[in-house]
Amino acid sequence: EARVSDCVTIAQRGSQSDKFCGDTSSVIWPMAYVTARYVCAKTLERVEAEHATAATASERTTTLSRAEICELARRGVVTEHTSVLEIGAGAGLFGIVVAALGAKKVTLTDETMELLAANVEASGMTNAEARRLGWAIKPGIERVADSDDSDDDVNAPFGDWNEVVAFVESLAEKPHMIIGSDIMYSQNKTTMRALGDTMAALADENTAIVIGFEDRGDWGQLATFYECCEESGLFGDGEPFDNDDDDRLFITLQKKTPM
């Protein structure tokens, strides 16, 4: 059952801390709050709707198919059946909130693990775990250079693809839901290609990929992200969290097999 009224406590290490990590992973960014609250609200809406239409707990207990769990996830709804993987989790706020909502299992990943692992352990969430995962470009995907690539080799390797493959093979199942917030901010095209390839490796055709994005004056960043995702076989779009603020988007992506 969703415990949407619960609170979670997350430690941060700001720039004044001697353990500050300058690559954004030791502080909580605003979009983590925004996206987590959105998922809480969507999950609560479903819980309230179920309670309004079902007289007993047994009537509210339904067996959902993988496709149905993923379709709910695409709308931001977490259920007790939902297996979730957070990519670029940072301090872990978003993933820990999803675990508190009652997800079946939440795996929070990042390259920088010390604070993330400590926050997951301190949360006491038995359905959450922290694991290291770096992003990598999949070999063998031909990418076309454009004017933004300068003289870089667009097909050059990045990261360790074997580690991504080993991580995917270690999972008991592909996640129903891959989540992230602000993971494209200040990333170059090579890194976003690695992000796209890594998410595609983690997903199947049903997996819901949901990402909170905030425009900081460079919509080209978002266009590059979509381009890199399409190279990886991921397609989707975003919609504003709030009709009065189109600078913050709830992006949904899905893996599609070429015809």
Side-chain angles (χ1 to χ4, degrees), residues 27-228:
V27 294
I28 301 171
W29 286 47
M31 280 310 301
Y33 293 104
V34 172
T35 317
R37 287 179 182 134
Y38 182 85
V39 170
C40 284
K42 292 299 181 181
T43 301
L44 179 58
E45 285 177 11
R46 179 175 182 269
V47 169
E48 291 177 337
E50 283 188 336
H51 281 255
T53 57
T56 66
S58 61
E59 290 177 335
R60 295 192 296 269
T61 302
T62 58
T63 301
L64 299 174
S65 68
R66 176 173 177 81
E68 289 171 328
I69 297 167
C70 292
E71 182 55 37
L72 287 168
R74 224 176 312 284
R75 307 202 311 257
V77 175
V78 175
T79 77
E80 67 271 22
H81 309 291
T82 312
S83 173
V84 183
L85 187 143
E86 182 174 12
I87 193 162
L93 172 69
F94 190 8
I96 291 172
V97 167
V98 170
L101 285 172
K104 175 183 175 183
K105 183 176 182 180
V106 183
T107 301
L108 298 89
T109 71
D110 208 312
E111 282 197 292
T112 306
M113 291 301 302
E114 182 185 358
L115 180 58
L116 176 61
N119 277 332
V120 170
E121 182 178 3
S123 75
M125 300 290 175
T126 58
N127 57 340
E129 64 173 357
R131 295 184 60 185
R132 184 188 177 280
L133 175 62
W135 306 343
I137 288 178
K138 182 178 181 179
I141 298 180
E142 289 298 319
R143 294 172 165 89
V144 179
D146 58 31
S147 58
D148 293 332
D149 290 314
S150 185
D151 296 326
D152 294 338
D153 180 358
V154 297
N155 296 306
F158 177 90
D160 189 335
W161 185 249
N162 290 329
E163 289 187 0
V164 173
V165 171
F167 184 97
V168 172
E169 290 176 347
S170 74
L171 298 175
E173 62 178 341
K174 292 290 184 75
H176 299 102
M177 187 179 194
I178 296 173
I179 63 174
S181 63
D182 257 345
I183 53 178
M184 303 95 83
Y185 177 67
S186 195
Q187 305 285 15
N188 61 33
K189 196 167 189 177
T190 299
T191 306
M192 283 198 279
R193 283 176 168 141
L195 171 58
D197 284 358
T198 302
M199 291 192 298
L202 293 163
D204 65 14
E205 286 74 16
N206 286 313
T207 301
I209 302 172
V210 300
I211 299 168
F213 169 82
E214 180 175 12
D215 171 43
R216 295 177 174 83
D218 182 11
W219 278 98
Q221 189 84 2
L222 183 58
T224 300
F225 172 72
Y226 283 137
E227 178 187 335
C228 292

